[in-house]
Amino acid sequence: MTRAKKDILKKAMGDFDKYKGGTNVDPKESSIDSSSLQVDLQNSFDHIFPELIKKEKHRKHVIFDDDVFRMYESICKSSGAGFSSLINSALRNFAKEKFNSSSNDPVSELLSLRNRERELLKEIKELDLVEELNSRL
Amino acid sequence: MTKTPIKINEYFIVKGDFLEMIYSPPLLAEVGNLRVELRKELNHSRPHLHVIKKCGKSEYGVSLALDNLDVLAGSENIERFDRREYEAVLNFIIENLELFEKVYKTLRGI
């Protein structure tokens, strides 16, 4: 243990004395073998530590535009929904909509073809084809 | 337009049995009726640890600052800890302070 760590321990044990540590111990609740306690705690931590430092296990912080945040916050208050669940739900719907509007979706593709067909018919009507034919004849 | 920083997840709840156990609350170690937790919230304005001793249906917790183990809260509960027990917990914490700081930074996304 380094000097600095020894100093921290000394100060912390000083706090233990200062706050009357050990004066109200229930013997039934202190059956743990204190000589092996540090080792047991270390083993417990060593088991958990690899999971704790996996960054992908932790959700990220994000920054919202103020107006967007206020809108969602107001919806959360009125509906009682959790902020993160509401955001997740909105993002899922957004992704779903994006997916449905892609060219892989046959219904969406048919709708866009029909729109294009209408636009073309409109353009044809606007052309004066009779005059064009007469000039060629 | 101003930006409002929002921390979506203050309590790192992660799905899955094992992970639930670890992250909610953020457990560092557990032996018998003693737990050491790392708290991400800044209710004491400093990163801190909770040392919790369960006695029957009651729990007695002490909040310790991560940098120098200052007692931030729960000083009245220190009397519930046996001296050797408390010292063993402190030794465990001191030996792992750098790793706890690393975990804290990961949890806060720093």
Side-chain angles (χ1 to χ4, degrees):
Chain A
M1 192 184 281
T2 63
R3 175 74 185 269
K5 286 183 174 179
K6 279 180 184 169
D7 288 345
I8 292 174
L9 178 65
K10 193 177 171 187
K11 188 189 98 28
M13 286 312 292
D15 288 340
F16 181 83
D17 294 329
K18 180 179 158 189
Y19 295 118
K20 299 176 183 172
T23 56
N24 191 13
V25 180
D26 182 347
K28 284 185 287 184
E29 302 295 347
S30 294
S31 55
I32 297 169
D33 179 3
S34 53
S35 61
S36 66
L37 180 57
Q38 188 183 342
V39 176
D40 293 340
L41 285 167
Q42 190 65 52
N43 289 338
S44 174
F45 176 61
D46 290 345
H47 176 63
I48 291 168
F49 179 67
E51 289 296 323
L52 278 172
I53 55 160
K54 282 182 183 170
K55 284 201 174 183
E56 67 271 20
K57 302 292 184 196
H58 304 282
R59 296 178 193 177
K60 303 291 184 288
H61 297 171
V62 293
I63 294 175
F64 292 98
D65 287 344
D66 196 50
D67 58 330
V68 174
F69 170 67
R70 287 185 197 292
M71 181 188 75
Y72 274 101
E73 192 185 36
S74 142
I75 295 171
C76 284
K77 278 179 187 165
S78 58
S79 68
F83 190 83
S84 59
S85 66
L86 191 67
I87 293 291
N88 279 323
S89 171
L91 289 173
R92 268 190 213 104
N93 284 337
F94 174 77
K96 198 174 169 185
E97 202 174 296
K98 271 279 178 196
F99 176 76
N100 286 341
S101 66
S102 73
S103 59
N104 292 330
D105 179 41
V107 178
S108 168
E109 202 170 352
L110 182 64
L111 285 173
S112 63
L113 278 172
R114 285 194 174 164
N115 272 339
R116 183 67 187 141
E117 189 184 3
R118 276 192 214 103
E119 283 168 12
L120 285 171
L121 282 170
K122 200 177 168 187
E123 281 175 27
I124 289 168
K125 277 182 186 173
E126 282 169 4
L127 291 170
D128 194 348
L129 293 176
V130 178
E131 192 180 334
E132 179 79 15
L133 278 170
N134 282 337
S135 69
R136 291 200 179 189
L137 287 170
Chain B
M1 184 178 289
T2 58
K3 301 274 184 182
T4 306
I6 299 300
K7 290 168 182 66
I8 284 200
N9 179 30
E10 281 294 322
Y11 298 100
F12 12 97
I13 295 166
V14 178
K15 286 179 183 172
D17 294 341
F18 181 63
L19 295 175
E20 286 274 9
M21 185 183 80
I22 294 172
Y23 294 107
S24 181
L27 175 70
L28 291 175
E30 182 173 32
V31 175
N33 61 343
L34 283 170
R35 291 169 65 87
V36 180
E37 296 173 4
L38 178 66
R39 295 299 174 106
K40 183 182 157 191
E41 66 269 34
L42 289 172
N43 55 335
H44 295 302
S45 303
R46 291 163 76 180
H48 59 280
L49 301 156
H50 282 201
V51 180
I52 299 162
K53 182 176 182 178
K54 194 172 181 184
C55 298
K57 288 180 181 175
S58 305
E59 283 191 349
Y60 302 95
V62 182
S63 295
L64 301 171
L66 190 55
D67 51 357
N68 62 1
L69 303 190
D70 273 352
V71 179
L72 302 176
S75 57
E76 71 280 8
N77 293 329
I78 293 181
E79 63 183 30
R80 298 280 178 173
F81 289 81
D82 174 77
R83 186 178 190 84
R84 286 188 305 162
E85 181 181 67
Y86 195 74
E87 191 168 13
V89 174
L90 289 180
N91 271 318
F92 158 70
I93 292 171
I94 289 168
E95 289 297 342
N96 292 284
L97 275 179
E98 291 85 358
L99 291 178
F100 292 170
E101 280 168 16
K102 190 175 175 181
V103 172
Y104 182 83
K105 284 179 180 173
T106 306
L107 293 177
R108 286 202 71 83
I110 298 170

